[in-house]
């Protein structure tokens, strides 16, 4: 088996931020320690696991984040007694880009998340086909591995909305334009609209549509999110082009909070919004 075979199945490229690099290096040192303790060369471990020697070296150097099944198999073969298996949650966390990890932390600390979007369907609401089209539209394009990594991260975050124990509660306002822009084609868009209609029926989700025929629109400044934290404070997040920023300045957060309230007031009611989504789905 050559040095490249099996790489995609075994792990992910390190994102490059300090936290991901530190976790990948820690896991790599542990794999190397237990391999050497077992008196096994990298090529032998690779052969027994079904991977190339080059991949083993990449994991040990911390330039490749191993998948959970890699750690399970390595733990068993090297007799690590669970010391490698226990690092699976760290590997899962490190595989996602830092921005995704930061947003996931904010969501976990929130009692309510509010989001307005007039560009695309909000990330937490996206289906796999729609999300793939969003990421695939990026220029310059992502590599296949980067695309897969970001898609997996987005789908993992989605569980906070429609998982078995969804927390926090959510308020979403989607501009009508995002429902009519057929990203991914007709089938992908119809699936996305069906998913929105199902989410709109959840007791923890308020989903509204901001119509295009309004003479006034408080959301022209672009998408943003509000995270109302358990301690009583609120932070915001805004993303445009190459900029992704968490906003904690009280004056700026207050401005966005006020703006979101106006957007909600301008939007259709919950019942009207669900009917509108279903109408657009039938037309798609």
């Amino acid at each position: 088996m050559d040095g490249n075979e099996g790489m995609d199945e075994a792990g992910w490229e390190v994102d490059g931020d300090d936290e991901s690099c530190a976790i990948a290096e820690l896991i790599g040192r542990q794999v190397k320690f237990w391999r050497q303790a077992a008196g096994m060369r990298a090529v032998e471990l690779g052969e027994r696991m079904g991977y190339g020697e080059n991949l083993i070296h990449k994991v040990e150097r911390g330039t490749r984040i191993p998948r959970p099944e890699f750690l399970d198999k390595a733990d068993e073969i090297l007799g690590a007694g669970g010391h490698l298996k226990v690092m699976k949650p760290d590997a899962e966390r490190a595989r996602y880009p830092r921005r995704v990890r930061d947003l996931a932390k904010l969501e976990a600390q929130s009692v309510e998340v509010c989001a307005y979007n007039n560009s695309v369907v909000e990330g937490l609401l996206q289906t796999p086909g729609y999300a793939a089209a969003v990421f695939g539209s990026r220029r310059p394009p992502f590599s296949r591995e980067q695309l897969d990594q970001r898609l997996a991260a987005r789908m993992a975050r989605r569980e906070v909305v429609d998982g078995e124990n969804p927390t926090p509660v959510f308020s979403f306002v989607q501009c009508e334009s995002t429902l009519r822009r057929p990203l991914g084609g007709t089938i992908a868009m119809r699936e996305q609209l069906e998913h929105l209609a199902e989410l709109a029926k959840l007791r923890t989700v308020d989903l509204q549509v901001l119509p295009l025929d309004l003479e006034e629109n408080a959301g022209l400044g672009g998408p943003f999110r509000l995270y109302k934290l358990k301690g009583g404070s609120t932070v915001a997040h805004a993303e445009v082009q190459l900029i992704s920023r968490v906003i904690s300045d009280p004056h700026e957060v207050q401005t966005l909070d006020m703006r979101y309230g106006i957007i909600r007031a301008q939007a259709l009611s919950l019942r009207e919004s669900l009917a509108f989504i279903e109408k657009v789905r039938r037309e798609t």
Side-chain angles (χ1 to χ4, degrees):
M1 180 179 294
D2 66 37
N4 291 323
E5 189 173 353
M7 281 206 309
D8 290 339
E9 293 80 1
W12 307 278
E13 179 182 347
V14 178
D15 187 55
D17 65 85
D18 291 344
E19 185 181 4
S20 281
C21 289
I23 293 174
E25 288 171 3
L26 176 61
I27 293 173
R29 286 196 298 271
Q30 286 293 307
V31 171
K32 186 174 182 179
F33 170 83
W34 288 101
R35 176 180 63 76
Q36 291 178 335
M40 193 176 298
R41 292 180 300 144
V43 64
E44 294 175 289
L45 177 60
E47 288 174 352
R48 292 192 60 180
M49 294 185 65
Y51 299 122
E53 178 185 4
N54 188 42
L55 172 62
I56 304 300
H57 286 308
K58 285 188 174 185
V59 169
E60 293 183 349
R61 288 196 303 267
T63 60
R64 194 80 180 172
I65 302 168
R67 293 183 186 270
E69 55 268 28
F70 179 101
L71 293 173
D72 282 335
K73 188 178 292 187
D75 192 282
E76 179 182 349
I77 292 172
L78 298 175
H83 286 86
L84 295 179
K85 288 182 179 181
V86 77
M87 304 187 80
K88 290 191 291 184
D90 300 298
E92 284 285 348
R93 186 171 75 255
R95 66 180 285 203
Y96 299 135
R98 180 175 181 177
R99 181 182 66 82
V100 173
R101 297 198 305 272
D102 290 345
L103 294 180
K105 289 177 184 177
L106 283 176
E107 289 156 6
Q109 298 167 8
S110 299
V111 295
E112 183 180 10
V113 175
C114 306
Y116 166 71
N117 208 311
N118 62 350
S119 176
V120 295
V121 171
E122 178 63 26
L124 290 173
L125 306 177
Q126 291 179 8
T127 58
Y130 184 92
V134 171
F135 288 128
S137 298
R138 193 247 203 188
R139 293 296 181 270
F142 288 122
S143 68
R144 169 51 58 184
E145 181 169 7
Q146 290 172 327
L147 192 64
D148 291 344
Q149 185 183 36
R150 281 158 175 76
L151 183 59
R154 179 148 295 179
M155 293 303 102
R157 281 183 59 221
R158 202 178 74 166
E159 292 181 4
V160 73
V161 178
D162 57 5
E164 292 184 3
N165 298 297
T167 55
V169 296
F170 296 89
S171 168
F172 299 103
V173 180
Q174 288 290 150
C175 178
E176 177 186 342
S177 62
T178 65
L179 307 182
R180 296 192 179 279
R181 187 175 294 121
L183 289 178
T186 300
I187 295 177
M189 196 64 212
R190 186 177 296 130
E191 290 176 348
Q192 178 62 72
L193 292 167
E194 289 172 353
H195 183 61
L196 289 178
E198 289 302 314
L199 291 176
K201 300 171 186 176
L202 297 179
R203 59 182 179 82
T204 54
V205 175
D206 286 347
L207 178 55
Q208 294 175 261
V209 176
L210 187 67
L212 282 171
D213 60 3
L214 293 176
E215 294 185 3
E216 296 182 347
N217 185 329
L220 296 178
F224 64 92
R225 303 183 187 97
L226 295 169
Y227 297 90
K228 301 189 177 183
L229 306 178
K230 294 173 183 177
S233 61
T234 300
V235 296
H237 176 260
E239 187 172 12
V240 58
Q241 294 297 334
L242 302 178
I243 299 171
S244 177
R245 184 167 75 102
V246 173
I247 303 166
S248 58
D249 178 84
H251 177 71
E252 293 182 351
V253 171
Q254 185 180 47
T255 298
L256 290 174
D257 197 8
M258 176 188 68
R259 192 171 295 172
Y260 189 76
I262 297 173
I263 291 172
R264 287 201 70 179
Q266 292 174 335
L268 300 175
S269 70
L270 299 178
R271 187 184 298 273
E272 292 169 336
S273 296
L274 176 57
F276 189 89
I277 291 169
E278 292 178 334
K279 174 179 177 292
V280 176
R281 179 185 58 82
R282 290 192 297 270
E283 296 172 351
T284 301

